[in-house]
Amino acid sequence: MIATLTGTVLTAGATSCVVDVSGVGFLLQVTPATAAGLRVGEKATLHTHLVVREDSLTLFGFADEDERSAFIIAQSASGVGPKLALAIVSVLSPTDLRLAITSADLARLTSVPGIGAKGAQRLVLELKDKVALLG
């Protein structure tokens, strides 16, 4: 697995970036907050998670380890794939996610695009023991 990438930012969009690491450009899907912290031409280190699918390899990048952990934990819930997990960490910080899950704050969880009332209840049930590790 690719745990981190350090290199020069070649492009930085709203939800993706390309980081040049020794002549190889890695395309990463990122949260808007992570993207906002990147500057083209500057060196950056991103914590990463590689999602392997039958037809694709997708690399996700995060500003810090807590954000990556929240992404991985969110994906462990049934019905939550990488796109929805990225939406969750885009809207809720790791601390906010932990608090929303532990306090069963369904209104906070449904503020994430793609999560309805039933999905929020499922997240609370499935993740309540896992989120204790989040900052």
Side-chain angles (χ1 to χ4, degrees), residues 19-44:
V19 177
D20 177 18
V21 179
S22 300
V24 178
F26 289 89
L27 173 64
L28 297 105
Q29 302 302 310
V30 297
T31 64
T34 298
L38 300 174
R39 301 289 175 258
V40 173
E42 291 185 7
K43 190 174 181 177

Side-chain angles (χ1 to χ4, degrees), residues 85-120:
L86 191 64
I88 291 169
V89 298
S90 293
V91 173
L92 302 172
S93 71
T95 301
D96 290 341
L97 178 60
R98 178 178 48 80
L99 293 173
I101 297 290
T102 56
S103 66
D105 186 349
L106 301 182
R108 184 82 171 126
L109 292 170
T110 57
S111 71
V112 176
I115 296 181
K118 287 183 182 181

Side-chain angles (χ1 to χ4, degrees), residues 31 33-34 45-47 61-65 67:
T31 64
T34 298
T45 297
L46 294 171
H47 298 266
F62 305 96
D64 57 47
E65 231 174 294
E67 194 175 54

Side-chain angles (χ1 to χ4, degrees), residues 3 6 56 59 62 95 114 117 126 131:
T6 300
S56 68
L59 195 58
F62 305 96
T95 301
E126 294 183 21
V131 295

